[in-house]
Amino acid sequence: MYKIASLPGDGIGVEIVPEAIKALNAITERFGHKFEFTEALIGGAAYDAVGHPLPDETLALCQKSDAILLGAIGGPKWEELPVHLRPEVGALLPLRKELGLFANLRPCILFPGLEHASTIKEEVIKGVDILVLRELTGGLYFGEKSREKTADGGQKATDILSYSTYEIERIVRFAYDAARKRNNKLCSVDKANVIETSRLWREVVMDLAKDYPDVETTHMYVDNCAMQLIRNPVQFDVIVTENMFGDILTDEAAMLTGSIGMLASASIGGEVGLYEPSHGSAPDIAGQKKANPLATILSAALMLRYSFDLEEEASLIEKAVKTVLTEGYRTPDLVEPGKQVLDTVQMGDLVASKILSL
Ligand code: IPM
Ligand code: MG
C-alpha cells in the first residue's frame, strides 16, 4: 500500500490531478498495487479556506505520506497578499524546504509527433531528450531578503545568494549518477565568470568530475546555455544547475517539447518525493477543461519510478502517453491541423484506457 498525498491546489490544478490519479488507478487495475489518496488544501485554495497557503495539516499529511502529487498553485486573486501568505512563497517554497527536496528533475523529451507543436524548427528539436537537474532548496530563493530606505527617498532591496560546498556536492553527485544511467554526459551550468557562488560551484564540479571519469563533464555559462538550448539542444544529455538558473532554463527547455504542458517534474532527495507538472495554475484557462493533463500524468510516472521503484509501471504510463500522441490526439495547447482535439478529461480517460490495453 502506497500512501499518496493529493494536493490539487489552484486553477487548472484541480482539473489535472484527477487525470493523473486515473492513470495511477489504471496501474492498480493492471498490477494490483494499492494507492491510497488523501486530498489536502494548498495554495490560494488553502488561504481562502483556513487563512494560510500551507496549513499545518497539509504539511503533516505530506510528511507521513509515501509521495505527494501536486497540481499547481497561485493566481491573480492572491497576488496582492503579504509576501509570506502568497501561494508561491508561503506554500511551495516552504514545502520544498521542509521536506528537504533539493533535487528537482525535469525531463525535457520531445515525444514523437510533437515536432510541429513547438515554435522551434523541427530539425533543431528532433531527438531532444534532456534531463535537467535543478538545485531546489538553496540559492536566491531561500537567501535572506531585505529592504531599506535610501537617502534619496528611494529604497534598496537585497536578496542574498549563497551556496555551500555540501549543497553543491549533493546535487552534482545526483546529476552524475543520473548521467551514468543515460548517455554519460553532464553539463554543469553556472555564471562563474561573474558570480562567486558560481565559482565555488564550478570548483566543486571539477573536483567531483575526478570520481566520475566515465562521464564527460562540460561547463557552460548560463547565458550561453540559454542560447545553446535553442541553437542545438540535442548536444545536451544531463544539465545540472543552481535553483534560479534551473527555473529559467527549464521554462525555455519546455518549448523544445512542444508545450510546457508536457513538462513533468520530480522533487526528491528527502524522505518523501513531490511530483508536479513544471507549469503553473494557468488561471486564463482554468475551469474550461482545456488544460493538458499529460505533464501531471508523466509526473505520476516519475513517482512510480523514483519513490516506489516501479520501473515497469512507470514506463507503461510513458508508453501510454506516447501512444495517444502518436495516434494524433492532442489537447488545445498542442493543436495542429488534422489532429483530434480532446479536453482534459477525455485525454485522461484515453491515457488510462491505454494503460489497461497496451
Ligand atoms: C517552478 C515555478 C516555481 C519556481 C514558482 C511557482 C515559485 O516557477 O516550479 O518552476 O520558481 O520554482
Ligand atoms: Mg518555473
Side-chain angles (χ1 to χ4, degrees), residues 209-298:
K210 297 175 196 140
D211 293 349
Y212 300 85
D214 50 318
V215 177
E216 177 200 309
T217 306
T218 52
H219 303 269
M220 198 178 268
Y221 296 139
V222 63
D223 49 349
N224 185 24
C225 181
M227 180 184 72
Q228 295 297 336
L229 274 173
I230 49 172
R231 192 187 79 90
N232 177 24
V234 289
Q235 70 183 286
F236 296 109
D237 178 22
V238 178
I239 291 176
V240 65
T241 192
E242 62 105 81
N243 202 347
M244 177 127 129
F245 295 162
D247 177 46
I248 298 168
L249 293 177
T250 52
D251 261 35
E252 186 189 6
M255 272 300 118
L256 308 171
T257 72
S259 158
I260 194 155
M262 295 303 299
L263 203 66
S265 97
S267 302
I268 54 186
E271 293 275 291
V272 46
L274 169 72
Y275 300 85
E276 56 170 326
S278 303
H279 58 70
S281 59
D284 54 322
I285 57 161
Q288 300 170 40
K289 289 198 200 170
K290 285 183 182 164
N292 181 351
L294 295 178
T296 318
I297 293 172
L298 291 166

Coordinates of all heavy atoms in Angstrom, one line a residue, residues 209-298:
A209 N 34.3 15.6 -10.7 CA 34.5 15.0 -12.0 C 35.5 13.9 -11.9 O 35.4 12.9 -12.7 CB 34.9 16.1 -13.0
K210 N 36.5 14.0 -11.0 CA 37.5 13.0 -10.9 C 37.0 11.7 -10.4 O 37.5 10.6 -10.8 CB 38.6 13.5 -9.9 CG 39.3 14.7 -10.3 CD 40.3 15.2 -9.2 CE 40.7 16.6 -9.5 NZ 40.8 17.5 -8.3
D211 N 35.8 11.7 -9.7 CA 35.2 10.5 -9.3 C 34.4 9.8 -10.4 O 33.9 8.7 -10.2 CB 34.3 10.7 -8.1 CG 35.0 11.2 -6.8 OD1 36.3 11.1 -6.8 OD2 34.4 11.6 -5.9
Y212 N 34.1 10.6 -11.4 CA 33.3 10.1 -12.5 C 34.0 10.1 -13.8 O 33.5 10.8 -14.8 CB 32.0 10.8 -12.6 CG 31.1 10.8 -11.3 CD1 31.4 11.6 -10.2 CD2 30.1 9.8 -11.1 CE1 30.6 11.6 -9.0 CE2 29.4 9.8 -9.9 CZ 29.7 10.6 -8.9 OH 28.9 10.6 -7.8
P213 N 35.1 9.4 -14.0 CA 35.9 9.6 -15.2 C 35.1 9.0 -16.4 O 35.5 9.4 -17.6 CB 37.1 8.7 -14.9 CG 36.8 7.8 -13.8 CD 35.7 8.5 -13.0
D214 N 34.2 8.2 -16.2 CA 33.4 7.6 -17.3 C 32.3 8.6 -17.8 O 31.7 8.4 -18.8 CB 32.7 6.3 -16.8 CG 31.9 6.6 -15.5 OD1 32.5 7.2 -14.6 OD2 30.8 6.0 -15.4
V215 N 32.1 9.7 -17.1 CA 31.1 10.7 -17.5 C 31.9 11.9 -18.1 O 32.8 12.4 -17.5 CB 30.2 11.2 -16.4 CG1 29.2 12.2 -16.8 CG2 29.5 10.0 -15.8
E216 N 31.4 12.4 -19.3 CA 32.0 13.5 -19.9 C 31.5 14.8 -19.3 O 30.3 15.0 -19.3 CB 31.7 13.5 -21.4 CG 32.3 14.7 -22.2 CD 31.5 14.9 -23.5 OE1 31.4 13.9 -24.3 OE2 31.0 16.0 -23.8
T217 N 32.3 15.5 -18.6 CA 31.9 16.8 -17.9 C 32.2 18.0 -18.7 O 33.3 18.2 -19.2 CB 32.6 16.9 -16.5 OG1 32.4 15.7 -15.8 CG2 32.1 18.1 -15.7
T218 N 31.2 18.9 -18.9 CA 31.5 20.2 -19.5 C 30.9 21.2 -18.6 O 30.0 21.0 -17.8 CB 30.8 20.3 -20.9 OG1 29.4 19.9 -20.8 CG2 31.5 19.4 -21.9
H219 N 31.4 22.5 -18.8 CA 30.9 23.6 -18.0 C 30.4 24.6 -19.0 O 31.0 24.8 -20.1 CB 32.0 24.2 -17.2 CG 32.6 23.3 -16.2 ND1 32.2 23.1 -15.0 CD2 33.6 22.4 -16.4 CE1 32.9 22.1 -14.4 NE2 33.8 21.7 -15.2
M220 N 29.3 25.3 -18.7 CA 28.7 26.3 -19.6 C 28.2 27.4 -18.8 O 27.6 27.2 -17.8 CB 27.6 25.6 -20.5 CG 27.3 26.3 -21.7 SD 26.0 25.4 -22.6 CE 27.0 24.4 -23.7
Y221 N 28.4 28.6 -19.3 CA 27.8 29.8 -18.7 C 26.3 29.8 -19.0 O 25.9 29.4 -20.1 CB 28.5 31.1 -19.2 CG 29.9 31.2 -18.8 CD1 30.9 31.7 -19.7 CD2 30.4 30.9 -17.6 CE1 32.2 31.9 -19.4 CE2 31.7 31.0 -17.2 CZ 32.6 31.5 -18.1 OH 33.9 31.6 -17.8
V222 N 25.6 30.3 -18.1 CA 24.1 30.2 -18.2 C 23.6 31.0 -19.4 O 22.6 30.5 -20.1 CB 23.4 30.6 -16.9 CG1 23.7 32.1 -16.5 CG2 21.9 30.4 -17.0
D223 N 24.2 32.1 -19.7 CA 23.7 32.8 -20.9 C 24.0 32.1 -22.2 O 23.1 32.0 -23.1 CB 24.3 34.3 -21.0 CG 25.9 34.3 -20.8 OD1 26.4 33.2 -20.4 OD2 26.5 35.3 -21.0
N224 N 25.1 31.4 -22.3 CA 25.4 30.6 -23.4 C 24.5 29.4 -23.5 O 23.9 29.0 -24.5 CB 26.9 30.1 -23.4 CG 27.3 29.3 -24.6 OD1 26.7 29.5 -25.7 ND2 28.2 28.4 -24.4
C225 N 24.2 28.8 -22.3 CA 23.3 27.7 -22.3 C 21.9 28.0 -22.8 O 21.3 27.3 -23.5 CB 23.2 27.1 -20.8 SG 22.1 25.7 -20.7
A226 N 21.4 29.2 -22.4 CA 20.1 29.7 -22.9 C 20.1 29.7 -24.4 O 19.1 29.3 -25.0 CB 19.8 31.1 -22.3
M227 N 21.2 30.1 -25.0 CA 21.3 30.2 -26.4 C 21.4 28.8 -27.0 O 20.7 28.4 -28.0 CB 22.5 31.0 -26.8 CG 22.7 31.1 -28.3 SD 24.1 32.0 -28.8 CE 25.4 30.9 -28.4
Q228 N 22.3 28.0 -26.4 CA 22.6 26.6 -27.0 C 21.3 25.8 -26.9 O 21.1 24.9 -27.8 CB 23.7 25.9 -26.2 CG 25.0 26.5 -26.4 CD 25.6 26.5 -27.8 OE1 25.2 25.7 -28.6 NE2 26.5 27.4 -28.1
L229 N 20.4 26.0 -26.0 CA 19.2 25.2 -25.8 C 18.3 25.4 -27.1 O 17.6 24.4 -27.4 CB 18.4 25.6 -24.6 CG 18.8 24.9 -23.3 CD1 18.1 25.5 -22.1 CD2 18.5 23.4 -23.3
I230 N 18.3 26.5 -27.7 CA 17.5 26.7 -28.9 C 18.4 26.6 -30.2 O 17.8 26.4 -31.2 CB 16.7 28.0 -28.9 CG1 17.5 29.2 -28.5 CG2 15.5 27.8 -27.9 CD1 16.7 30.5 -28.7
R231 N 19.7 26.7 -30.0 CA 20.5 26.6 -31.2 C 20.7 25.1 -31.6 O 20.6 24.7 -32.7 CB 21.9 27.2 -31.0 CG 22.7 27.4 -32.2 CD 24.1 28.0 -31.9 NE 25.0 26.9 -31.4 CZ 25.7 26.1 -32.2 NH1 25.8 26.3 -33.5 NH2 26.5 25.2 -31.7
N232 N 21.1 24.3 -30.5 CA 21.4 22.9 -30.8 C 21.2 22.1 -29.5 O 22.1 21.6 -28.9 CB 22.9 22.8 -31.2 CG 23.3 21.4 -31.4 OD1 22.5 20.5 -31.7 ND2 24.6 21.2 -31.3
P233 N 19.9 21.9 -29.2 CA 19.5 21.2 -27.9 C 20.0 19.8 -27.8 O 20.2 19.3 -26.7 CB 18.0 21.4 -27.9 CG 17.6 21.6 -29.3 CD 18.7 22.3 -30.0
V234 N 20.1 19.1 -29.0 CA 20.5 17.7 -28.8 C 21.9 17.4 -28.3 O 22.3 16.3 -28.1 CB 20.2 16.9 -30.2 CG1 18.7 16.7 -30.4 CG2 20.9 17.6 -31.3
Q235 N 22.7 18.5 -28.2 CA 24.0 18.3 -27.6 C 23.9 18.0 -26.1 O 24.9 17.5 -25.6 CB 24.8 19.6 -27.8 CG 24.3 20.8 -26.9 CD 25.1 22.1 -27.1 OE1 26.2 22.2 -26.7 NE2 24.5 23.0 -27.8
F236 N 22.8 18.2 -25.5 CA 22.7 18.0 -24.0 C 22.1 16.6 -23.7 O 21.2 16.2 -24.3 CB 21.8 19.1 -23.4 CG 22.3 20.5 -23.6 CD1 21.7 21.4 -24.4 CD2 23.4 20.9 -22.8 CE1 22.2 22.7 -24.5 CE2 23.9 22.2 -22.9 CZ 23.3 23.1 -23.8
D237 N 22.7 16.1 -22.6 CA 22.2 14.9 -22.0 C 21.6 15.2 -20.6 O 20.4 15.4 -20.5 CB 23.3 13.8 -22.0 CG 22.8 12.5 -21.3 OD1 21.6 12.2 -21.3 OD2 23.7 11.8 -20.8
V238 N 22.5 15.4 -19.7 CA 22.1 15.9 -18.3 C 22.7 17.3 -18.1 O 23.8 17.5 -18.3 CB 22.5 14.9 -17.2 CG1 22.1 15.4 -15.9 CG2 22.0 13.5 -17.5
I239 N 21.8 18.2 -17.6 CA 22.2 19.5 -17.2 C 22.1 19.6 -15.7 O 21.0 19.2 -15.2 CB 21.4 20.6 -17.9 CG1 21.7 20.6 -19.4 CG2 21.6 22.0 -17.3 CD1 20.8 21.6 -20.2
V240 N 23.1 20.1 -15.0 CA 22.9 20.4 -13.6 C 23.1 21.9 -13.3 O 24.1 22.4 -13.9 CB 23.8 19.5 -12.7 CG1 25.3 19.8 -12.9 CG2 23.4 19.6 -11.2
T241 N 22.3 22.5 -12.6 CA 22.4 23.9 -12.3 C 21.8 24.3 -11.0 O 21.0 23.6 -10.4 CB 22.0 24.7 -13.5 OG1 22.4 26.1 -13.4 CG2 20.4 24.7 -13.7
E242 N 22.1 25.6 -10.6 CA 21.5 26.1 -9.3 C 20.0 26.4 -9.5 O 19.5 26.5 -10.6 CB 22.4 27.2 -8.8 CG 22.4 28.4 -9.7 CD 21.6 29.5 -9.2 OE1 22.0 30.3 -8.3 OE2 20.4 29.7 -9.7
N243 N 19.4 26.8 -8.4 CA 18.0 26.9 -8.3 C 17.4 27.9 -9.4 O 16.5 27.5 -10.2 CB 17.6 27.4 -6.9 CG 16.2 27.1 -6.5 OD1 15.4 26.8 -7.4 ND2 15.9 27.2 -5.3
M244 N 17.8 29.1 -9.4 CA 17.2 30.1 -10.2 C 17.5 29.9 -11.7 O 16.7 30.0 -12.6 CB 17.6 31.5 -9.8 CG 17.0 32.5 -10.8 SD 16.2 33.8 -9.9 CE 16.9 35.2 -10.6
F245 N 18.8 29.5 -12.0 CA 19.1 29.2 -13.4 C 18.3 28.1 -13.9 O 17.8 28.1 -15.0 CB 20.6 28.9 -13.6 CG 21.6 30.0 -13.2 CD1 22.9 29.6 -12.9 CD2 21.2 31.3 -13.2 CE1 23.9 30.6 -12.6 CE2 22.1 32.3 -12.9 CZ 23.5 32.0 -12.6
G246 N 18.0 27.1 -13.0 CA 17.2 25.9 -13.4 C 15.8 26.3 -13.6 O 15.1 25.8 -14.5
D247 N 15.3 27.2 -12.9 CA 13.9 27.7 -13.0 C 13.8 28.3 -14.4 O 12.8 28.0 -15.2 CB 13.6 28.7 -12.0 CG 12.2 29.3 -12.2 OD1 11.3 28.5 -12.4 OD2 12.0 30.5 -12.1
I248 N 14.7 29.2 -14.8 CA 14.6 29.9 -16.1 C 14.8 29.0 -17.2 O 14.1 28.9 -18.2 CB 15.6 31.1 -16.1 CG1 15.2 32.1 -14.9 CG2 15.6 31.8 -17.4 CD1 16.3 33.1 -14.6
L249 N 15.9 28.2 -17.1 CA 16.3 27.3 -18.3 C 15.2 26.2 -18.6 O 15.0 25.8 -19.7 CB 17.6 26.6 -18.0 CG 18.8 27.6 -18.0 CD1 20.1 26.8 -17.7 CD2 19.0 28.3 -19.4
T250 N 14.5 25.8 -17.5 CA 13.5 24.7 -17.8 C 12.2 25.3 -18.4 O 11.6 24.5 -19.2 CB 13.2 23.9 -16.5 OG1 12.8 24.8 -15.5 CG2 14.3 23.0 -16.1
D251 N 11.9 26.5 -18.2 CA 10.8 27.1 -18.9 C 11.2 27.2 -20.4 O 10.4 26.9 -21.3 CB 10.4 28.5 -18.4 CG 9.2 28.4 -17.5 OD1 9.1 27.5 -16.7 OD2 8.4 29.4 -17.5
E252 N 12.4 27.6 -20.6 CA 12.9 27.7 -22.0 C 12.9 26.3 -22.7 O 12.4 26.1 -23.8 CB 14.3 28.3 -22.1 CG 14.7 28.5 -23.5 CD 16.2 28.9 -23.6 OE1 16.9 28.9 -22.6 OE2 16.6 29.2 -24.8
A253 N 13.5 25.3 -21.9 CA 13.6 23.9 -22.4 C 12.2 23.3 -22.7 O 12.1 22.4 -23.6 CB 14.4 23.1 -21.5
A254 N 11.2 23.8 -22.0 CA 9.8 23.2 -22.2 C 9.4 23.4 -23.6 O 8.7 22.6 -24.2 CB 8.9 23.9 -21.2
M255 N 9.8 24.5 -24.2 CA 9.4 24.8 -25.6 C 10.0 23.8 -26.6 O 9.5 23.7 -27.7 CB 9.8 26.3 -25.9 CG 8.7 27.2 -25.5 SD 7.2 26.8 -26.4 CE 6.1 26.5 -25.0
L256 N 11.1 23.1 -26.2 CA 11.6 22.1 -27.1 C 10.7 20.9 -27.1 O 10.9 20.1 -28.0 CB 13.0 21.7 -26.5 CG 14.0 22.8 -26.3 CD1 15.2 22.2 -25.5 CD2 14.4 23.4 -27.6
T257 N 9.8 20.8 -26.2 CA 9.0 19.6 -26.1 C 7.6 19.9 -26.7 O 6.7 19.0 -26.7 CB 8.7 19.1 -24.6 OG1 7.8 20.1 -24.0 CG2 10.0 19.1 -23.9
G258 N 7.4 21.1 -27.2 CA 6.1 21.4 -27.8 C 5.3 22.3 -26.9 O 4.7 23.3 -27.4
S259 N 5.2 22.0 -25.7 CA 4.4 22.8 -24.8 C 4.8 22.6 -23.4 O 5.3 21.5 -23.0 CB 2.9 22.4 -24.9 OG 2.1 22.7 -23.8
I260 N 4.7 23.6 -22.5 CA 5.0 23.4 -21.1 C 4.1 22.4 -20.5 O 4.3 21.9 -19.4 CB 5.1 24.8 -20.4 CG1 5.8 24.6 -19.0 CG2 3.7 25.4 -20.2 CD1 6.4 25.8 -18.4
G261 N 3.0 22.2 -21.1 CA 2.0 21.2 -20.7 C 2.5 19.7 -20.8 O 1.8 18.8 -20.4
M262 N 3.8 19.6 -21.3 CA 4.4 18.3 -21.4 C 5.5 18.0 -20.4 O 6.0 17.0 -20.3 CB 5.0 18.1 -22.8 CG 4.0 18.1 -23.9 SD 2.8 16.8 -23.8 CE 3.8 15.3 -23.8
L263 N 5.8 19.1 -19.6 CA 7.0 19.0 -18.8 C 6.7 18.5 -17.3 O 6.1 19.3 -16.5 CB 7.7 20.4 -18.7 CG 9.1 20.4 -18.4 CD1 10.0 19.7 -19.5 CD2 9.7 21.8 -18.2
A264 N 7.0 17.3 -17.1 CA 6.8 16.7 -15.7 C 7.9 17.2 -14.8 O 8.9 17.7 -15.2 CB 6.8 15.2 -15.8
S265 N 7.8 16.9 -13.5 CA 8.9 17.1 -12.6 C 8.8 16.2 -11.4 O 7.7 15.9 -10.9 CB 9.1 18.6 -12.2 OG 8.5 18.9 -11.0
A266 N 10.0 15.9 -10.9 CA 10.1 15.2 -9.6 C 11.0 15.9 -8.7 O 12.1 16.3 -9.1 CB 10.7 13.8 -9.9
S267 N 10.6 16.1 -7.5 CA 11.5 16.8 -6.5 C 11.8 15.8 -5.4 O 10.9 15.3 -4.7 CB 10.8 18.0 -5.9 OG 10.4 18.9 -6.9
I268 N 13.0 15.4 -5.3 CA 13.4 14.3 -4.4 C 14.6 14.7 -3.6 O 15.2 15.8 -3.7 CB 13.6 13.0 -5.2 CG1 14.6 13.1 -6.3 CG2 12.2 12.5 -5.7 CD1 14.7 11.9 -7.2
G269 N 15.1 13.7 -2.8 CA 16.3 13.9 -2.0 C 15.9 13.9 -0.5 O 16.8 13.8 0.3
G270 N 14.7 14.0 -0.2 CA 14.2 13.9 1.2 C 13.6 12.6 1.5 O 13.7 11.7 0.7
E271 N 12.8 12.6 2.5 CA 12.1 11.4 3.0 C 11.0 11.0 2.0 O 10.7 9.9 1.7 CB 11.5 11.6 4.3 CG 12.5 11.8 5.4 CD 12.9 10.4 6.0 OE1 12.1 9.7 6.6 OE2 14.1 10.1 5.7
V272 N 10.3 12.1 1.5 CA 9.2 11.8 0.6 C 9.3 12.7 -0.7 O 9.7 13.8 -0.6 CB 7.8 12.2 1.4 CG1 7.9 13.5 2.1 CG2 6.6 12.2 0.5
G273 N 8.9 12.1 -1.8 CA 9.1 12.8 -3.1 C 7.8 13.6 -3.4 O 6.7 13.2 -3.1
L274 N 8.1 14.7 -4.1 CA 7.0 15.6 -4.6 C 6.9 15.6 -6.1 O 8.0 15.9 -6.8 CB 7.2 17.0 -4.1 CG 6.3 18.2 -4.6 CD1 4.9 18.0 -4.0 CD2 6.9 19.5 -4.2
Y275 N 5.8 15.3 -6.7 CA 5.6 15.2 -8.1 C 4.6 16.2 -8.6 O 3.5 16.2 -8.1 CB 5.3 13.8 -8.5 CG 6.3 12.8 -8.0 CD1 6.3 12.4 -6.7 CD2 7.4 12.5 -8.8 CE1 7.4 11.6 -6.1 CE2 8.5 11.7 -8.3 CZ 8.4 11.3 -7.0 OH 9.5 10.5 -6.5
E276 N 5.0 17.0 -9.5 CA 4.1 18.1 -10.0 C 4.6 18.5 -11.4 O 5.7 18.4 -11.8 CB 4.2 19.3 -9.1 CG 5.6 19.9 -9.0 CD 5.7 21.2 -8.3 OE1 4.8 22.0 -8.4 OE2 6.7 21.4 -7.6
P277 N 3.6 18.9 -12.2 CA 4.0 19.5 -13.5 C 4.8 20.7 -13.3 O 4.7 21.4 -12.3 CB 2.6 19.8 -14.2 CG 1.7 20.0 -13.0 CD 2.1 19.1 -12.0
S278 N 5.7 21.1 -14.3 CA 6.5 22.3 -14.2 C 5.8 23.5 -14.5 O 6.3 24.6 -14.2 CB 7.7 22.2 -15.1 OG 8.4 21.0 -14.8
H279 N 4.5 23.4 -15.0 CA 3.8 24.6 -15.3 C 3.0 25.2 -14.1 O 2.9 24.5 -13.1 CB 2.9 24.4 -16.5 CG 1.9 23.3 -16.3 ND1 0.8 23.4 -15.4 CD2 1.8 22.0 -16.8 CE1 0.1 22.3 -15.4 NE2 0.7 21.4 -16.2
G280 N 2.4 26.3 -14.3 CA 1.6 26.9 -13.3 C 0.2 26.6 -13.3 O -0.3 25.7 -14.0
S281 N -0.6 27.5 -12.6 CA -2.0 27.2 -12.4 C -2.9 27.7 -13.6 O -4.1 27.5 -13.6 CB -2.5 27.8 -11.1 OG -2.3 29.2 -11.2
A282 N -2.3 28.4 -14.6 CA -3.0 28.8 -15.8 C -4.4 29.4 -15.6 O -5.4 28.9 -16.1 CB -3.0 27.7 -16.8
P283 N -4.5 30.4 -14.8 CA -5.8 31.0 -14.5 C -6.6 31.3 -15.7 O -7.9 31.2 -15.7 CB -5.5 32.2 -13.7 CG -4.1 32.3 -13.4 CD -3.4 31.2 -14.1
D284 N -6.0 31.7 -16.8 CA -6.7 32.1 -18.0 C -7.5 30.9 -18.6 O -8.5 31.2 -19.3 CB -5.7 32.6 -19.1 CG -4.5 31.7 -19.4 OD1 -4.0 31.0 -18.4 OD2 -4.1 31.6 -20.5
I285 N -7.1 29.7 -18.4 CA -7.9 28.6 -19.0 C -8.5 27.7 -17.9 O -9.2 26.7 -18.2 CB -7.1 27.7 -19.9 CG1 -5.8 27.1 -19.2 CG2 -6.6 28.5 -21.2 CD1 -5.2 25.9 -19.9
A286 N -8.4 28.1 -16.7 CA -8.9 27.3 -15.6 C -10.4 27.1 -15.7 O -11.2 28.0 -16.1 CB -8.6 27.9 -14.2
G287 N -10.9 25.9 -15.4 CA -12.3 25.6 -15.4 C -12.9 25.4 -16.7 O -14.1 25.2 -16.9
Q288 N -12.1 25.3 -17.7 CA -12.6 25.2 -19.1 C -12.3 23.8 -19.7 O -12.5 23.6 -20.9 CB -12.1 26.3 -20.0 CG -12.5 27.7 -19.5 CD -11.7 28.8 -20.3 OE1 -11.5 28.7 -21.5 NE2 -11.3 29.8 -19.6
K289 N -11.7 22.9 -19.0 CA -11.3 21.6 -19.5 C -10.3 21.7 -20.7 O -10.4 20.9 -21.6 CB -12.5 20.8 -19.9 CG -13.4 20.3 -18.8 CD -14.3 19.2 -19.3 CE -15.5 18.9 -18.5 NZ -16.4 18.0 -19.2
K290 N -9.6 22.8 -20.7 CA -8.6 23.0 -21.8 C -7.2 22.5 -21.4 O -6.3 22.5 -22.3 CB -8.6 24.4 -22.3 CG -9.8 24.9 -23.0 CD -9.5 26.3 -23.5 CE -10.7 26.9 -24.2 NZ -10.7 28.4 -24.3
A291 N -7.0 22.3 -20.1 CA -5.6 22.1 -19.7 C -5.1 20.7 -20.1 O -5.9 19.8 -20.3 CB -5.6 22.1 -18.1
N292 N -3.8 20.7 -20.4 CA -3.2 19.5 -20.8 C -2.8 18.7 -19.5 O -1.9 19.1 -18.8 CB -1.9 19.8 -21.6 CG -1.2 18.6 -22.1 OD1 -1.4 17.5 -21.7 ND2 -0.2 18.9 -22.9
P293 N -3.3 17.5 -19.3 CA -3.0 16.8 -18.1 C -1.7 15.9 -18.2 O -1.4 15.2 -17.3 CB -4.2 15.9 -17.9 CG -4.7 15.6 -19.3 CD -4.3 16.8 -20.1
L294 N -1.1 16.0 -19.4 CA 0.0 15.0 -19.6 C 1.2 15.2 -18.7 O 1.8 14.3 -18.3 CB 0.4 15.0 -21.1 CG -0.7 14.4 -22.0 CD1 -0.2 14.5 -23.5 CD2 -1.1 13.0 -21.7
A295 N 1.5 16.5 -18.4 CA 2.7 16.8 -17.6 C 2.4 16.2 -16.2 O 3.4 15.6 -15.5 CB 3.0 18.3 -17.5
T296 N 1.2 16.2 -15.7 CA 0.9 15.7 -14.4 C 0.9 14.1 -14.4 O 1.3 13.5 -13.5 CB -0.5 16.2 -13.9 OG1 -0.6 17.6 -14.2 CG2 -0.7 16.1 -12.4
I297 N 0.3 13.6 -15.5 CA 0.3 12.2 -15.7 C 1.8 11.6 -15.8 O 2.1 10.6 -15.1 CB -0.5 11.8 -16.9 CG1 -2.0 12.1 -16.7 CG2 -0.3 10.3 -17.3 CD1 -2.9 12.0 -17.9
L298 N 2.6 12.4 -16.5 CA 4.0 12.0 -16.6 C 4.7 12.1 -15.3 O 5.7 11.4 -14.9 CB 4.7 12.8 -17.7 CG 4.3 12.4 -19.1 CD1 4.8 13.5 -20.1 CD2 4.8 11.0 -19.5

